Amino acid sequence: MKFFIDTADVDAIRELHDLGMVDGVTTNPSLILKSGRNILEVTKEICSFVKGPVSAEVVALKADDMIAEGRKLAAIAPNIAVKVPLTWDGLKTCKVLSGEGFMVNVTLCFSANQALIAAKAGATFISPFIGRLDDINLDGLDLIGDIRTIYDNYDFKTQILAASIRNANHVKDCALIGADVVTAPPNVIKALASHVLTDKGLDQFNADWAKTGQKIL
Ligand code: E4P
């Protein structure tokens, strides 16, 4: 399973990148706002060290404008995945830009039918939002499972990029269901390493070691 980092915080991406945890990055307008940076500048900086796909999202609503924005974003670096919303205009944009050889990430997916039509439009990635479905008492993981089945039934090459990941269990469940990629905030990636029994065991070992009076160095 690939890990994408869902942030535009360059320092946070770098820290995880140095550990080999970054297969790609996703951003969106809210994350750009949070970074306080210019979208073109921060995306260029991310692409200077992340070699996997870096998603940058268009903000226009009409296909012609989306296509123009997408081409400008794609010119930042060869590893840009142009992110478009799952609207009819977004699908038109997906078809055009994927036809021009660009990676396209179709975002804001909340149903299996949306995922099906995005694959038909040539999406490189489909981004189903798990956490936002869970927020309204629907089952985001069921959606990932349904998309996996549909894509496998017809051998669609579109990669399932599980998004809106809120906790470590989401990551494990996506891995079990067979999502190709998860995009998660840095704190969730770090939480994958945590276990209360690890902390407890380490405390015990350290206490016993102190009693030996020994040193290794
Ligand atoms: C995905 O590409 C989105 O940027 C992100 O996962 C949305 O997550 P949120 O629902 O926590 O805002």
Side-chain angles (χ1 to χ4, degrees):
M1 170 185 258
K2 291 177 209 156
F3 282 0
F4 288 2
I5 312 302
D6 200 24
T7 186
D9 179 335
V10 175
D11 291 341
I13 297 168
R14 263 189 206 285
E15 183 188 1
L16 292 168
H17 180 264
D18 290 348
L19 286 172
M21 301 286 174
V22 180
D23 298 306
V25 168
T26 52
T27 63
N28 64 37
S30 304
L31 294 171
I32 295 295
L33 173 68
K34 198 171 167 188
S35 76
R37 302 273 309 271
N38 171 277
I39 183 171
L40 301 177
E41 288 171 13
V42 73
T43 306
K44 189 171 180 186
E45 187 174 348
I46 293 167
C47 290
S48 70
F49 64 97
V50 173
K51 295 307 164 201
V54 174
S55 288
E57 188 160 343
V58 302
V59 292
L61 298 176
K62 295 285 175 212
D64 286 350
D65 299 329
M66 284 185 188
I67 292 165
E69 287 182 355
R71 287 178 181 142
K72 182 165 182 178
L73 293 170
I76 295 172
N79 55 323
I80 288 289
V82 178
K83 207 171 175 190
V84 302
L86 216 158
T87 59
W88 199 245
D89 284 82
L91 293 173
K92 286 182 191 168
T93 304
C94 176
K95 183 70 183 161
V96 170
L97 294 181
S98 62
E100 292 176 4
F102 299 119
M103 290 187 286
V104 180
N105 175 359
V106 180
T107 190
L108 291 168
C109 171
F110 295 96
S111 79
N113 279 334
Q114 287 183 312
L116 175 57
I117 203 162
K120 298 287 285 181
T124 316
F125 301 102
I126 183 71
S127 290
F129 277 36
I130 297 179
R132 294 191 195 189
L133 283 169
D134 289 354
D135 289 345
I136 58 165
N137 293 322
L138 294 174
D139 193 330
L141 287 163
D142 275 357
L143 174 59
I144 303 291
D146 286 349
I147 299 172
R148 181 75 282 155
T149 301
I150 290 168
Y151 282 7
D152 289 349
N153 281 349
Y154 299 99
D155 202 23
F156 282 116
K157 300 301 179 206
T158 302
Q159 295 180 52
I160 302 173
L161 198 177
S164 192
I165 298 284
R166 302 278 171 77
N167 55 57
N169 278 338
H170 275 161
V171 177
K172 177 197 71 176
D173 291 337
C174 285
L176 286 170
I177 287 175
D180 300 290
V181 189
V182 286
T183 187
N187 65 310
V188 172
I189 299 291
K190 286 186 176 178
L192 300 181
S194 298
H195 199 290
V196 65
L197 292 180
T198 303
D199 298 340
K200 190 176 171 194
L202 191 57
D203 286 347
Q204 182 67 56
F205 288 158
N206 281 338
D208 288 345
W209 180 249
K211 289 178 200 160
T212 70
Q214 298 179 42
K215 284 193 183 341
I216 294 176
L217 290 177

